Amino acid sequence: MSHASAHPHRRTRPSLRTVIAVAVTALLAGLLSWPGGAHRADAAPATFVHPGVTVSKGQLDFARGRVTAGAQPWKGAFDQMMASRYADLNRVPKPRAVVECGSYSNPNHGCTDEREDAIAAYTQALAWYITRDERHARKAIELMDAWSAVIQDHTNSNAPLQTGWAGSSWPRAAEIIKYTYTGGWPNSGRFATMLRDVYLPEVVNGSHSNGNWELSMMEAALGIAVFLEDRASYDKAMAKFRTRTAAYVYLASDGSLPRTVPGQNLDTRDKIVRYWQGQTTFVTGLTQETCRDLTHTGYGISAISHVAETSRIQGQDLYGTDVGERLRHALGFQSKYELGEPVPGWLCGGTLHRGLGPVTEVGYNAMHNRLGYAMTNTEILTRQNRPAGSNNLFVAWETLTHGDNHG
């Protein structure tokens, strides 16, 4: 029973000094309970860092220096990027007012065009930064302006995922151009309005579909929030991301069953097993989609790494929380089987569908190079797959931007 209910008629007003002391004590306790002390790992920074979505200025400078020196694997990764269709200076944007994407992009009315124009804008922005050829900056601006002048909505069943994928690439491009290109971008405000009005509302409230959906949507929401310097949206996206990541990658410390997302009504073992693709044995590093296929699992892992990297750039450390632990174990577990380890009978009925994709560089760099974890299987797979290209959805050129890049 509380003091107030024990003495309902006795109300003494505490002194102002007492109120302040209690408030300060509570604040300090809250701050110190988070990894990194006052830098709460799930709160927007007091001052946003730009460029600050997935790749920082320090990382861009490192990559540029390595490419200029002709050092590998960065020079090969750069050459791969420049040979891709995304770096083509003759690319013609294909914007449309309504992008309609059904399940597995059927129908596909602008879905591929939008995703690839967004990746192209990011590619051109990277090309500008590394070469200082202004034609690439202007092409990135042309692509962003074309879409911001036209797009109004995303429709059909895959609209949230489509918006998440395209919405992850756009702010990466915009951050580099707005904060490093001095030639001017008159329509940057219109682009910001597009992100705020067309993209953010579609993704920020999350999804109860497979976990890779919400993870990609939160990646987009967080990147957009950084570009817009929107603290409320940053905090909302981060909270959903933390909950979803804990429910996407299993750790033994979670207990006998994986964690769940409130509102999904996964309130029995049978429901959880069904949601985890029929898997009944839970081991550290397993993901909610491992038994579906490693490709969709790779989407989820990639989004986790991108959000953690953006958060790190913004001055917080998610890698030092359970997010980093889950990311490290998810990479190791999936990499082992992607490399050809025989699949035991208890795992997905003894059959795995491989195809993880170019998704290991960011997490491997953070957890191995920065924090010192061995990550043997992830290292073998990462080096084997270099240079990592694009999955043509929302992942692109991460050997170039994050390969052994400690910045």
Side-chain angles (χ1 to χ4, degrees):
M1 184 175 285
S2 72
H3 179 85
S5 58
H7 304 280
H9 303 298
R10 198 176 94 195
R11 290 190 179 177
T12 56
R13 178 171 292 182
S15 69
L16 180 60
R17 180 178 295 176
T18 303
V19 170
I20 292 172
V22 170
V24 169
T25 302
L27 177 62
L28 286 173
L31 291 175
L32 294 174
S33 68
W34 288 92
H39 289 292
R40 266 185 53 185
D42 62 348
T47 303
F48 284 97
V49 176
H50 304 289
V53 176
T54 312
V55 61
S56 68
K57 186 175 186 302
Q59 288 170 315
L60 290 167
D61 287 339
F62 174 87
R64 183 171 186 246
R66 297 286 77 203
V67 171
T68 302
Q72 300 297 354
W74 305 276
K75 180 61 166 64
F78 173 74
D79 291 344
Q80 174 199 41
M81 179 182 83
M82 297 305 290
S84 75
R85 62 183 181 274
Y86 299 116
D88 184 358
L89 286 167
N90 295 312
R91 185 181 186 88
V92 177
K94 297 178 180 177
R96 62 174 69 207
V98 178
V99 173
E100 183 185 2
C101 307
S103 184
Y104 292 94
S105 291
N106 181 25
N108 181 341
H109 297 151
C111 315
T112 303
D113 292 338
E114 179 188 32
R115 292 194 305 265
E116 297 198 351
D117 276 350
I119 291 173
Y122 176 53
T123 303
Q124 298 284 349
L126 288 173
W128 138 253
Y129 198 89
I130 289 171
T131 67
R132 293 299 197 268
D133 183 339
E134 292 200 23
R135 294 177 301 168
H136 290 296
R138 290 195 291 267
K139 178 57 71 171
I141 289 169
E142 178 191 339
L143 289 158
M144 291 188 285
D145 283 354
W147 280 89
S148 71
V150 173
I151 182 75
Q152 295 173 10
D153 199 11
H154 297 85
T155 64
N156 215 317
S157 57
N158 260 33
L161 182 61
Q162 170 72 20
T163 309
W165 282 341
S168 294
S169 297
W170 286 131
R172 281 187 222 138
E175 282 279 301
I176 294 172
I177 295 299
K178 182 174 180 179
Y179 293 99
T180 73
Y181 176 59
T182 57
W185 180 15
N187 289 314
S188 64
R190 188 179 72 195
F191 187 82
T193 299
M194 174 191 82
L195 293 180
R196 182 183 297 109
D197 294 350
V198 179
Y199 287 80
L200 190 57
E202 186 72 43
V203 295
V204 76
N205 292 316
S207 164
H208 288 329
S209 186
N210 280 300
N212 82 87
W213 278 51
E214 186 163 82
L215 290 166
S216 288
M217 291 162 69
M218 292 310 105
E219 178 188 343
L222 205 80
I224 290 168
V226 169
F227 185 71
L228 298 178
E229 299 199 332
D230 179 346
R231 286 177 180 79
S233 294
Y234 186 105
D235 289 347
K236 182 175 183 178
M238 185 59 79
K240 285 190 174 295
F241 169 78
R242 291 295 297 268
T243 301
R244 175 61 71 175
T245 299
Y248 192 71
V249 182
Y250 177 80
L251 296 177
S253 56
D254 293 335
S256 61
L257 289 171
R259 295 192 187 185
T260 58
V261 173
Q264 280 197 270
N265 299 314
L266 299 175
D267 51 7
T268 68
R269 178 181 174 84
D270 285 349
K271 287 181 182 178
I272 291 171
V273 165
R274 193 154 53 243
Y275 187 60
W276 281 64
Q277 321 293 328
Q279 179 69 7
T280 56
T281 302
F282 302 102
V283 297
T284 292
L286 182 80
T287 81
Q288 181 253 314
E289 296 186 271
T290 300
C291 292
R292 180 186 186 186
D293 57 61
L294 295 193
T295 302
H296 285 87
T297 300
Y299 301 163
I301 290 172
S302 183
I304 292 169
S305 68
H306 293 161
V307 170
E309 192 72 357
T310 295
S311 177
R312 185 193 69 87
I313 294 165
Q314 295 306 322
Q316 296 111 3
D317 177 22
L318 284 183
Y319 291 120
T321 71
D322 77 298
V323 171
E325 189 180 0
R326 292 176 196 278
L327 175 60
R328 175 167 66 93
H329 286 296
L331 282 167
F333 188 84
Q334 299 353 276
S335 293
K336 178 171 64 173
Y337 294 108
E338 183 73 12
L339 287 167
E341 175 98 1
V343 183
W346 59 262
L347 178 61
C348 312
T351 302
L352 269 179
H353 304 285
R354 294 178 174 87
L356 191 60
V359 302
T360 64
E361 287 279 16
V362 176
Y364 170 72
N365 183 54
M367 301 306 295
H368 174 74
N369 291 325
R370 292 201 199 106
L371 296 182
Y373 291 99
M375 300 184 72
T376 307
N377 289 311
T378 307
E379 178 172 11
I380 292 169
L381 183 63
T382 300
R383 295 190 181 283
Q384 183 176 295
N385 287 346
R386 284 179 172 171
S390 175
N391 70 356
N392 304 312
L393 300 172
F394 70 107
V395 179
W397 323 126
E398 293 180 353
T399 299
L400 175 63
T401 55
H402 291 81
D404 299 333
N405 186 339
H406 303 202

